[in-house]
């Protein structure tokens, strides 16, 4: 699973680099990126949140408790999900202008940017259905303890987009302003981007068939337990809605920065690019762990084995922390070099990559609470409790919106989105504290807190010292007489290798036993 995720995320980074080179980091890229973020948001609001957090435990329970091994329940659930997504997709394409108006402001002086975003959205909103197909079939596989295919098939989407952006850079004139993009380029971007998601979803069909699933539409939903699923999902729907409100606020504020400085790379595109890079360690490690642990934790709750659930949560946090904590300090120390290496290409020059580097540093340490809170929430989902995660999301969103608003009003456009990146981590820090206290109460007052604090304290100490050394090594390389394009490569190599070596030495000296969970370090 982790290997598939690494390859998927690795090709995703290549795609991101080519995308930045083709579209830049300014207002033009923001029109595409805003439209491309909307389908996943609507999918999650329609059914995705409930699918990931509520329906997987119930799929597992149905396979255990139902006489037919849960097959009829699966058929009804897949039919329901695809029906909701089909209707939602059609309505979303029809209401594209109204949807885009929620995420990005329209004004007379920036109406061309708004209109281009709407055009992109009409091409990209059909992704809603294919996202749903991908995740629904993936959860059918997960309920059968088959996790690999869902981790590998996103590579196909990345290959499609890598080819498209490579074509832009190699054969077409890459535009850097809204006025420069042609209708043919808009069509190509829209059709191929949605085509990549379609390929990703359809590619799972052979795997679910091999696992024994045969889709037969079943609309006899009444009296089959789906009402219970939907009732439990109402809190997840509110959870997703709260997160979308916070995301919409940040998108509007950061897009406003792009409109004020359209070619400086200070707004939503840089924010979204760096957020994707920042979440890579969490996506590779924590999400892989959670995907495997959630069915197991659900079974532990169903069999009233709370000690096993507590042990799974503790081990998941400690094992993921071995990667997450040093990664957070890596971004803090080497964010500028990372951004310049990834985004200073094509239409994006070195100057427009500087704000992205500062945003990556601002996100930095927030990775620790973000990852830990994500994992702890699955403890509630194992209990089929979706109400508590909703209230934690309210606190996180409220803090995030308040701090983002302060950044928008008080900071200059150059620094507003950077402040919002730091605010994101602060909000999740507060959310982690609330989540841990509530889950501790649910687990009879014990969450293995002392062991977790001891492990994370050692990891933070080792990572902080390593980050100082890595940052100094990278700064020393800035004066080496090499071509400008090689300066971030040299700095990142020296800083990254130095940081990794010092962290490993200190981690062994501090006797961090979880270090043995990493491949090659047993």
């Amino acid at each position: 699973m982790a290997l598939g995720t690494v390859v998927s995320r690795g090709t995703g980074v290549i795609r991101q680099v080519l995308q930045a080179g083709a579209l830049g980091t300014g207002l033009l890229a923001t029109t595409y990126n805003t439209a491309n973020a909307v389908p996943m948001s609507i999918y999650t609001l329609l059914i995705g949140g409930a699918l990931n957090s509520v329906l997987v435990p119930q799929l597992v329970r149905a396979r255990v408790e139902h006489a037919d091994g849960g097959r009829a329940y699966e058929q009804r659930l897949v039919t329901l999900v695809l029906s909701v997504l089909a209707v939602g997709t059609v309505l979303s394409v029809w209401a594209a202008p109204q949807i885009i108006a929620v995420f990005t402001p329209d004004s007379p002086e920036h109406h061309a940017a708004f209109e281009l975003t709407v055009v992109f959205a009409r091409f990209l909103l059909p992704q809603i259905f294919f996202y749903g197909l991908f995740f629904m079939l993936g959860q059918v596989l997960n309920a059968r303890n088959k996790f690999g295919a869902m981790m590998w098939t996103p590579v196909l989407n990345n290959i499609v987009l890598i080819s498209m952006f490579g074509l832009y850079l190699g054969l077409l004139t890459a535009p850097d302003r809204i006025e420069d993009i042609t209708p043919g380029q808009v069509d190509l971007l829209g059709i191929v981007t949605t085509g990549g998601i379609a390929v990703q979803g359809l590619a799972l069909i052979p795997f679910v068939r091999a696992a024994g699933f045969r889709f037969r539409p079943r609309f006899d939903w009444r009296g089959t337990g789906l009402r219970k699923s939907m009732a439990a999902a109402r809190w997840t729907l509110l959870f997703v809605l709260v997160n979308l409100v916070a995301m919409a606020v940040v998108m509007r504020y950061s897009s406003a920065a792009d409109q004020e400085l359209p070619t400086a790379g200070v707004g939503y595109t840089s924010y979204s690019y760096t957020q994707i890079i920042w979440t890579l360690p969490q996506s590779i490690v924590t999400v892989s762990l959670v995907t495997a642990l959630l069915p197991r934790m659900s079974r532990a709750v169903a069999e009233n084995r709370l000690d096993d659930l507590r042990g799974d949560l503790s081990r998941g946090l400690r094992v993921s922390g071995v990667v997450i904590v040093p990664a957070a300090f890596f971004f803090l120390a080497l964010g500028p070099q990372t951004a310049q290496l990834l985004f200073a290409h094509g239409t994006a020059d070195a100057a427009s990559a500087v704000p992205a580097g500062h945003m990556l540093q601002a996100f930095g340490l927030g990775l620790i609470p973000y990852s830990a809170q994500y994992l702890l929430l699955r403890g509630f989902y194992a209990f089929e409790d979706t109400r508590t995660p909703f209230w934690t999301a309210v606190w996180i969103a409220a803090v995030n919106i308040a701090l983002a608003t302060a950044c928008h009003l008080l900071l200059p456009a150059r620094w507003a989105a950077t402040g919002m990146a730091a605010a994101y981590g602060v909000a999740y820090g507060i959310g982690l504290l609330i989540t841990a206290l509530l889950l501790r109460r649910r687990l009879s007052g014990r969450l293995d807190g002392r062991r977790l604090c001891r492990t994370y304290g050692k990891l933070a100490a080792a990572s902080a010292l390593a980050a100082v050394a890595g940052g100094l090594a990278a700064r020393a390389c800035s004066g080496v007489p090499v071509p400008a394009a090689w300066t971030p490569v040299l700095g990142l190599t020296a800083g990254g290798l130095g940081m990794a070596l010092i962290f490993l030495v200190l981690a062994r000296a501090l006797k961090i036993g979880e270090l043995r969970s990493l491949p090659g370090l047993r």
Side-chain angles (χ1 to χ4, degrees):
M1 286 171 54
L3 179 61
T5 307
V6 166
V7 175
S8 173
R9 298 296 175 172
T11 53
V13 170
I14 297 172
R15 181 202 73 200
Q16 207 75 45
V17 170
L18 291 174
Q19 180 178 337
L23 299 179
T25 59
L27 185 57
L28 171 62
T30 292
T31 62
Y32 171 81
N33 287 320
T34 298
N36 203 26
V38 171
M40 174 59 83
S41 301
I42 296 178
Y43 154 73
T44 308
L45 183 62
L46 283 174
I47 202 73
L51 184 63
N52 293 335
S53 59
V54 177
L55 302 181
V56 171
Q58 296 201 11
L59 276 175
V60 173
R61 189 182 296 273
R63 287 181 61 79
V64 173
E65 297 177 353
H66 294 188
D68 65 347
R71 293 183 183 275
Y73 183 86
E74 284 181 331
Q75 299 287 2
R76 296 184 183 100
L77 182 58
V78 173
T79 303
L80 174 63
V81 168
L82 295 184
S83 298
V84 170
L85 290 170
V87 174
T89 299
V90 172
L91 293 177
S92 297
V93 173
W94 173 71
Q98 291 75 24
I99 293 172
I100 293 301
V102 173
F103 293 93
T104 187
D106 185 16
S107 60
E109 60 271 23
H110 299 295
H111 184 66
F114 177 83
E115 283 295 309
L116 180 58
T117 308
V118 172
V119 173
F120 275 131
R122 293 198 188 278
F123 279 109
L124 302 178
L125 282 168
Q127 293 178 22
I128 295 169
F129 180 83
F130 295 108
Y131 274 128
L133 179 67
F134 170 74
F135 285 107
M136 183 67 253
L137 297 183
Q139 301 302 0
V140 169
L141 289 170
N142 290 347
R144 288 166 163 77
N145 291 320
K146 296 184 181 299
F147 305 107
M150 193 177 182
M151 301 300 175
W152 282 97
T153 45
V155 175
L156 299 175
N157 173 48
N158 289 332
I159 291 173
V160 170
L161 295 185
I162 286 170
S163 302
M164 177 183 70
F165 288 119
L167 178 66
Y168 255 74
L169 289 172
L171 300 178
L172 303 176
T173 302
D176 59 359
R177 300 185 308 159
I178 289 175
E179 296 80 6
D180 297 333
I181 194 166
T182 66
Q185 289 172 328
V186 173
D187 293 348
L188 178 65
L189 283 168
I191 293 170
V192 177
T193 302
T194 296
I197 300 298
V199 169
Q200 173 181 300
L202 295 171
L204 283 182
I205 293 176
F207 292 98
V208 294
R209 289 182 62 84
F213 176 78
R214 298 292 186 274
F215 177 55
R216 300 289 185 272
R218 295 193 62 159
F219 297 92
D220 53 334
W221 301 329
R222 187 180 298 274
T224 58
L226 287 176
R227 181 183 296 274
K228 178 185 176 183
S229 298
M230 294 302 104
R234 72 180 184 275
W235 289 107
T236 303
L237 176 64
L238 293 173
F239 174 91
V240 171
L241 184 60
V242 166
N243 284 322
L244 286 181
V245 169
M247 186 184 81
V249 170
V250 170
M251 286 177 69
R252 286 184 70 90
Y253 290 161
S254 54
S255 295
D258 273 323
Q259 291 179 348
E260 189 169 336
L261 300 171
T263 61
V266 299
Y268 176 67
T269 288
S270 290
Y271 182 96
S272 62
Y273 284 174
T274 53
Q275 190 175 45
I276 290 171
I277 300 302
W278 175 72
T279 57
L280 276 176
Q282 190 259 0
S283 301
I284 294 170
V285 178
T286 310
V287 173
S288 296
L289 281 171
V290 165
T291 303
L293 284 176
L294 184 55
R296 175 172 161 170
M297 291 191 297
S298 299
R299 285 191 290 270
V301 171
E303 297 168 8
N304 200 30
R305 293 183 285 108
L306 294 188
D307 285 341
D308 290 343
L309 172 61
R310 188 183 296 110
D312 284 339
L313 288 170
S314 175
R315 177 165 175 76
L317 284 169
R318 288 182 285 109
V319 170
S320 63
V322 174
V323 175
I324 295 299
V325 175
F329 281 92
F330 173 88
F331 292 134
L332 180 63
L334 301 173
Q337 292 84 356
T338 303
Q340 290 227 348
L341 177 66
L342 295 178
F343 304 132
H345 306 282
T347 59
D349 56 18
S352 64
V354 171
H358 293 149
M359 290 180 203
L360 198 51
Q361 287 181 305
F363 273 120
L365 296 183
L367 182 64
I368 300 171
Y370 176 77
S371 176
Q373 201 263 352
Y374 178 90
L375 198 153
L376 285 182
L377 278 185
R378 271 60 197 172
F380 292 108
Y381 293 144
F383 283 101
E384 299 186 24
D385 174 7
T386 54
R387 181 174 180 175
T388 304
F390 161 71
W391 288 111
T392 62
V394 169
W395 279 102
I396 293 171
V399 173
N400 193 22
I401 289 172
L403 294 178
T405 302
C407 292
H408 174 65
L409 296 177
L410 302 177
L411 296 178
R414 164 62 181 84
W415 292 102
T418 302
M420 293 176 210
Y424 195 79
V426 172
Y428 270 92
I430 294 173
L432 173 62
L433 178 61
I434 294 171
T435 302
L437 290 174
L438 293 175
L439 186 58
R440 182 173 179 267
R441 184 185 306 170
R442 190 69 180 264
L443 293 174
S444 304
R446 292 190 297 119
L447 195 59
D448 204 13
R450 290 184 180 179
R451 189 178 185 185
L452 287 169
C453 289
R454 185 168 59 249
T455 299
Y456 271 76
K458 291 179 180 180
L459 287 170
S463 300
L465 292 173
V468 171
L472 291 175
R475 183 172 297 182
C477 292
S478 62
V480 176
V482 295
W486 285 96
T487 299
V489 177
L490 184 62
L492 199 58
T493 301
L497 290 177
M499 185 175 173
L501 179 61
I502 292 173
F503 170 76
L504 291 175
V505 171
L506 291 174
R508 287 187 179 278
L510 292 171
K511 298 180 179 179
I512 301 176
E514 289 76 13
L515 196 68
R516 293 191 296 271
S517 64
L518 296 181
L521 296 178
R522 296 184 183 278

